[in-house]
Amino acid sequence: MATTPSPNSSSRTIGEALSDLWQATREWFHTLLDLETGLDREGTIIAIRNNKRMQGANAWLLGCSIMIASLGLDLNSPAVIIGAMLVSPLMSPILGIGLGVAINDKDSMFTSMRHFGIAILIALFVSTFYFFVSPFGHITPEIQGRTSPTFLDGLVAIFGGFAGIISSSRKDKTNAIPGVAIATALMPPLCVTGFGVAEVFELWIRKGSMEPQAFSAEINRAFGIIGGSFYLFFLNSFFIALTTYIIIRLLRFPLKSYVDAREARRNRMITAFFSLLVSLPSGIILYNLYEMQQDKAEVKSFVEDYFPQACINYELTAIDGDTNKLILQLLGRRISEDSVLHYQELLHEKYDLNTPVRLFPMQAEMSLEDIKTSLQAQRQEVVKMLETERRTANSAVEETEALKRALARRLSDSTLIAKSLRVARETFGTDIESIQFAPEARTVNDSATVSLPPVFMVDWANRRGTAVNKERLERILRISAELDTLQLISY
């Protein structure tokens, strides 16, 4: 006799199945995200320690890569800049700083920081020298793009740092390090800092021949380039070191052991102090950067609301810690001082700004290249208009000619029809009471348009006419009216 499973037995089976599914899912995700497989803790520590020193071949490589990057910035060539980043050893001391903090190795941390400082000095010296003697020395888009860091630059550095230390910790080294070097873009901002320093030197040399106000404005612009670019470099460097520290701690690298417990505690305190000293400014900078990005979004909305056509460019920059400056470049529109105050109040009242903004409208001046481009666009527009008018005129002429031909054809047809009717009356005399003509007609049905031949309606004296007369009349009408087909209706 068969027995049915009890409800408890059924629910227990479902529970076991769900438990197995959960366990299998956990194991799959653990395997997917596992960093232990292929990990080489000892080899990673040795490799970072050996490459962190900025001397010998590393110093030469850094100098050459900085020179290549400076040339790429000056020539506005992204390809040259990427090539320079591929050979740069600048990431090694940054990884060394993160490693020293993570494994509580004070000596390694200070050595890495010292060689990181040496790398910065080498980069600044080479880039400043190049831009000082360069015959070009103008701000290119590649230079301009590295003077105002954004919040996204910090995210790029974070994930670039993660990728860098993960690839460095593998037994089988991957090709991710060049990609990280390109993504985090450590060198170009440092080269732009050298560009700013070279600008300062040149301005001091030419100070005597410049107006005080012009000198002050130019020197402030140069220091703005220095501050913005070095800030971007520092931001990238800090987040690479921070992510290196996080990954090394997650992978449980062994801490450096000390014989003396008091020495070990003192080293931990020194390491923690310097880590905090570096982290706090970075956190403040990142928060300020986030607020600036919010303000830029609000300013963009303001410009789109009130100057959608007139504003060809705008820039939001910091004047001091409490005020930002919004420069509007307006084309074809001037704003009075009263209107400036009005728009400034609207900006503060209607938009959610973190920092007060002062408005500086400027009348934009078109460069020679812009004028050439504008004239070329206007010329093309005039050519298009003339071409359209020419086509319209040609179409009108063709239509007129077609109408003339149609009218002439109708006149000719009328003459022929009148002649054919006269011939018919003369031929048949009193046999025809009357004869009428209906021209070609068209009928439209559901599928097509059908053309009907011209119709001649004849009233015969005997009401019907003979078959011979009908055939003879049809032949006369066709020949005299020059018609291929016709329809003869007798009544």
Side-chain angles (χ1 to χ4, degrees), residues 180-194:
V180 172
I182 295 171
T184 52
L186 290 167
M187 288 177 49
L190 204 52
C191 293
V192 174
T193 303

Side-chain angles (χ1 to χ4, degrees), residues 303-311 333:
V303 172
E304 291 175 350
D305 290 342
Y306 293 98
F307 307 97
Q309 303 296 331
C311 184
R333 180 175 175 181

Side-chain angles (χ1 to χ4, degrees), residues 66-75 123-140 143 188 190-199 202:
I66 289 292
M67 182 62 74
I68 296 171
S70 298
L71 284 164
L73 290 168
D74 209 10
L75 297 173
L124 289 179
F125 175 79
V126 173
S127 58
T128 301
F129 173 77
Y130 168 77
F131 285 111
F132 187 77
V133 302
S134 171
F136 303 103
H138 301 293
I139 296 182
T140 63
I143 293 176
L190 204 52
C191 293
V192 174
T193 303
F195 172 84
V197 175
E199 287 267 292
E202 291 178 0

Side-chain angles (χ1 to χ4, degrees), residues 178 241 328 364 399 455 468:
L328 295 177
E399 291 178 0
V455 177
V468 174

Side-chain angles (χ1 to χ4, degrees), residues 416-417 419-421 423 456 471-486:
L416 292 173
I417 294 298
K419 175 184 176 182
S420 64
L421 293 176
V423 170
F456 289 86
E471 183 178 352
R472 184 183 174 196
L473 176 59
E474 184 177 346
R475 185 168 58 252
I476 290 172
L477 292 174
R478 184 182 297 113
I479 293 171
S480 59
E482 298 181 3
L483 295 173
D484 294 330
T485 61
L486 59 84

